[in-house]
Amino acid sequence: MRRPLIIIAVCLVLAGAAFFLLARHIERKLVDTPYIAGVKHELRAVAAVQEAYRVEHPSYATDIAQLPAKRDSIFGVRLRVVAASIDGFLAEGRHDIWTGRCVIAVGSFVGDSLKAAEPRCYSDVR
């Protein structure tokens, strides 16, 4: 008589834990999506501005401050150039509310996991 009750109790606890984890995952995806989209948008804009900068200079810009500022930047998005050279650049974007980060690469900084001028995002586990 005890064994079936223990099995039922364990199943209910496991089902509750699974439901909680699924709910957290869905909540995180729904809440973070607009912030991720904003960071990706800004990184694509950086890539475009970097290409224009490269036409006029011998190398890509090594600092975001070297690039012309956009008037319609998305509030809360922070950008930085991680690395830059004559052959390419790697930039990172974060949002003040979202705990993850996105990166974009061009030229020599493109690799197996980074496609040219396409942002790739990584969510930090809370």
Side-chain angles (χ1 to χ4, degrees):
M1 180 76 175
R2 272 186 141 175
R3 182 174 235 145
L5 290 176
I6 291 172
I7 292 172
I8 291 171
V10 168
C11 288
L12 287 174
V13 168
L14 290 175
F19 179 75
F20 174 77
L21 292 174
L22 179 62
R24 292 275 296 159
H25 176 75
I26 291 170
E27 176 189 14
R28 195 173 299 128
K29 288 289 184 187
L30 291 175
V31 170
D32 292 345
T33 299
Y35 305 116
I36 294 169
V39 172
K40 283 183 172 183
H41 174 78
E42 291 295 311
L43 284 173
R44 286 187 186 105
V46 165
V49 174
Q50 277 278 36
E51 291 301 327
Y53 182 90
R54 174 68 177 92
V55 169
E56 297 180 17
H57 298 84
S59 176
Y60 289 96
T62 57
D63 190 351
I64 290 293
Q66 293 174 293
L67 301 171
K70 289 181 16 177
R71 292 185 186 271
D72 59 343
S73 295
I74 296 173
F75 181 76
V77 174
R78 293 173 284 120
L79 303 169
R80 74 181 181 105
V81 175
V82 176
S85 69
I86 194 168
D87 299 321
F89 75 92
L90 177 68
E92 176 187 69
R94 294 180 181 263
H95 196 283
D96 291 340
I97 295 174
W98 176 53
T99 59
R101 69 186 182 105
C102 298
V103 294
I104 193 166
V106 170
S108 62
F109 294 93
V110 173
D112 291 339
S113 65
L114 293 175
K115 295 180 181 174
E118 188 57 38
R120 171 97 186 223
C121 298
Y122 306 91
S123 293
D124 294 343
V125 178
R126 294 180 194 175

